[in-house]
Amino acid sequence: MVSIAAVISGLGASLPERVVSNEDLAASLDTSDAWIRSRTGIVRRRIVEPGTSTGDLAVAAGQAALSSAGSSADFVLLATTPDQPCPATAPQVAHRLGLEGVPALDVSAVCSGFGYALALARALVASGACSRPLVIGAETYTSIVNQLDGDTAVTFGDGAGAVLLHEGDSTEPGAIHALDLGSDGAGSGLLEIAAGGSRCPRTGGALSCEQRYFRMRGREVYGQAVRRMATSVRTVLSRAGWSNQSIRAFIGHQANQHILDAVSDRLGIETHYRFGNIAEVGNTAAASIPLAMVDTTARRLVRPGARTILMAFGGGLIWGSVALSWPDALPVHLPPQHPPARQNIPAPPDGTVPGTRSTPL
C-alpha cells in the first residue's frame, strides 16, 4: 500500500581538515594507539581549528545536503550541542543558508539527536507544516571535553552531517517507514555536563573540571546502551513489519565499536551489513549517523531502496531507532563555512562592543 512519507533526497557532510591520530594523543594522555583502538575502535578523529564553531560545520553540511538534492528547504532542524546557551543555533544556520523566514529550531537530544530530529521532520511533513525539512546533526564536542581526560579526549571528534527530506510516498528510496523513541531520566547522571544551566551556573565560584566538562561513566553506559538499542531495534522492526534477516544496512551511533558489535550480535545482523566510520572520525555525537550514511553512500556499499535501520543511544538517557529504505542520493562534502567578517563598531565608554559575540557563529 502506497502512503505519504518523508523521503530523504539529499545527503551532505562537513569535516574539519585537521586530523588527530591516536599517536598524537598518546604522549599527553599517557596512553597508546593500541590501547585506544582496543577500547574504542577509533584510529583517528577530526578536530576543528580555533575559531570554528558548531554552526560553521552545520552551515556547510546543510549547504551540502541542499546541493545534493538540488532543492531548498522550508524547515531547519539542528541536532546539536549549540554554539551558545541562547539563542538557538538553528536560526543562525538557516539565515546563513539563505533560508530567510524559514522556521528553525535546535533539537537537544545529544547523541540521539539526529534520530529525534528525523522523527520530528517526519511528523511535520505528515501534518502539512512543511514539505522539505532539512535535518542537520552537528557537533564540536572537543570544545566541551577535558583534553586531559583519557576516557573522553580519545573518544570524541568534530563534524556535521545533514539530510534534506521531501514529501513523497512510501515506495521511494529514502522513505522513513517506522520509528521508536524512548528516554529514562533516572540515568541522566551517566553522561552529563554538570555546569552551565540554571541548576549549576558557570558564573560565581570555582568550578571543577568534572563540572565544566562532559563526563561519562563508561561501564554503566555500555550496559544501558546495548540493552536499550537492541530493544528499540526489535520494536522498530516490528512496526515496519521487517525481519532481522531482511536488513541490508545497519548503522548505529558511532560511540564505541564494542557497543556496536554487541548490539548487532544480539540482533543477528550479519557483519557485511554493518556500516560505520568510527575508526576514521571517532564519536561525533549527533553528527555520527548522517556522517556514516554519507561515507557509506560515497563508497557505494548499499543499494538504494535497501531496508535500513539507524539506531542511537545517548545522554538523557535518550535512545531511538529509525527504519527507512536507503536513499538514492549522491552525497556532497563541503569544508566548514565561516561567517562573513563583522564590521568594526566604535566601542562605547564602558569598553563593551554592542552587537558582537566572543566567538564566531
Side-chain angles (χ1 to χ4, degrees):
M1 178 180 176
V2 176
S3 59
I4 298 299
V7 180
I8 295 174
S9 56
L11 292 164
S14 181
L15 286 167
E17 293 184 2
R18 183 184 173 199
V19 178
V20 177
S21 68
N22 291 343
E23 290 88 348
D24 295 329
L25 297 175
S28 60
L29 293 173
D30 190 26
T31 185
S32 67
D33 170 57
W35 186 90
I36 298 171
R37 289 192 194 213
S38 67
R39 293 289 291 270
T40 67
I42 298 168
V43 178
R44 58 188 64 86
R45 72 283 296 148
R46 301 291 187 96
I47 294 180
V48 294
E49 299 291 349
T52 298
S53 76
T54 305
D56 297 334
L57 292 170
V59 170
Q63 184 59 64
L66 296 176
S67 298
S68 169
S71 182
S72 187
D74 58 4
F75 209 111
V76 176
L77 295 158
L78 174 59
T80 189
T81 304
D83 283 352
Q84 55 198 95
C86 179
T89 303
Q92 303 165 37
V93 170
H95 167 71
R96 290 172 58 187
L97 288 171
L99 303 173
E100 299 300 339
V102 167
L105 59 90
D106 288 359
V107 177
S108 180
V110 205
C111 298
S112 298
F114 183 75
Y116 268 68
L118 278 183
L120 289 171
R122 185 196 193 207
L124 288 166
V125 169
S127 71
C130 70
S131 61
R132 300 182 313 280
L134 176 64
V135 175
I136 308 170
E139 301 283 12
T140 53
Y141 246 58
T142 58
S143 67
I144 58 174
V145 166
N146 180 3
Q147 294 303 318
L148 298 179
D149 176 4
D151 289 332
T152 55
V154 302
T155 302
F156 291 94
D158 303 326
V163 298
L164 182 70
L165 300 97
H166 70 266
E167 181 182 331
D169 66 68
S170 58
T171 64
E172 293 183 65
I176 297 174
H177 291 272
L179 298 158
D180 177 69
L181 306 174
S183 73
D184 180 8
S188 61
L190 297 181
L191 303 105
E192 68 172 353
I193 301 174
S198 60
R199 187 174 298 280
C200 182
R202 289 185 183 274
T203 56
L207 293 174
S208 67
C209 287
E210 189 174 85
Q211 292 172 304
R212 288 186 290 120
Y213 293 116
F214 176 83
R215 68 184 184 92
M216 61 181 177
R217 285 150 56 182
R219 188 178 299 276
E220 295 168 76
V221 168
Y222 178 92
Q224 286 270 6
V226 172
R227 179 168 59 88
R228 300 291 193 181
M229 284 196 287
T231 300
S232 181
V233 171
R234 291 189 184 101
T235 299
V236 84
L237 284 170
S238 176
R239 289 175 180 171
W242 297 350
S243 68
N244 299 27
Q245 293 72 32
S246 71
I247 301 306
R248 294 295 177 265
F250 192 74
I251 294 179
H253 161 51
Q254 305 291 289
N256 181 291
Q257 191 61 55
H258 294 298
I259 292 176
L260 294 169
D261 291 341
V263 176
S264 301
D265 290 345
R266 281 195 180 195
L267 295 167
I269 303 297
E270 296 183 46
T271 304
H272 52 282
Y273 295 138
R274 307 174 187 180
F275 301 104
N277 57 352
I278 188 172
E280 298 300 315
V281 299
N283 181 347
T284 55
S288 74
I289 287 178
L291 283 173
M293 292 181 70
V294 167
D295 178 69
T296 302
T297 304
R299 292 190 286 143
R300 301 179 182 274
L301 298 176
V302 181
R303 174 180 54 82
R307 290 183 175 182
T308 301
I309 295 294
L310 312 177
M311 64 176 186
F313 175 91
L317 300 171
I318 305 175
W319 60 87
S321 299
V322 181
L324 70 152
S325 58
W326 193 263
D328 186 7
L330 294 176
V332 175
H333 297 252
L334 290 174
Q337 305 292 299
H338 296 282
R342 300 179 186 275
Q343 293 182 340
N344 291 326
I345 303 174
D350 64 0
T352 61
V353 181
T356 63
R357 295 176 174 84
S358 60
T359 57
L361 301 177

